[in-house]
């Protein structure tokens, strides 16, 4: 199967907006590395994205539809 590398950017809610090089095989992410396209991050990405992106995207626990809360919301300021 042919592997291709795609340029990308991390879309997680983080101020770094790291530039990525994503290796894809058969429409599945197989590897994610930092890209030097963005001088600010210069090829560096966090471990979370480097090692768990394929699980986030292809994993069986991925949310595929919006969820609705069951029960009351926690009071403001609580950690529950
Ligand atoms: S790769 Fe990690 S550090 Fe970079 S923007 Fe995404 S979450 Fe933030």
């Amino acid at each position: 199967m042919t592997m291709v590398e795609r340029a990308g950017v991390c879309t997680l809610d983080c101020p770094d907006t790291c530039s990525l090089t994503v290796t894809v095989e058969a429409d599945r992410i197989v590897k994610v590395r930092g890209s030097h396209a963005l001088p600010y991050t210069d090829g560096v990405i966090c471990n979370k994205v480097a090692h768990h992106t394929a699980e986030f995207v292809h994993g069986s626990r991925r949310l595929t539809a919006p969820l609705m809360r069951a029960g009351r919301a926690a009071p403001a300021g609580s950690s529950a």
Side-chain angles (χ1 to χ4, degrees), residues 3 5 9 14-15 21 23 29 37 46 52 67 80:
M3 283 196 271
E5 289 193 336
V9 63
C14 170
T21 299
T23 305
I29 294 171
C46 65
H52 300 290
L67 301 180

Side-chain angles (χ1 to χ4, degrees), residues 25-52:
E25 181 178 30
D27 292 331
R28 296 183 68 88
I29 294 171
V30 294
K31 187 173 185 178
V32 180
R33 294 176 287 126
S35 162
H36 296 278
L38 177 63
Y40 179 67
T41 54
D42 198 23
V44 176
I45 61 173
C46 65
N47 281 331
K48 172 178 59 183
V49 169
H51 299 293
H52 300 290

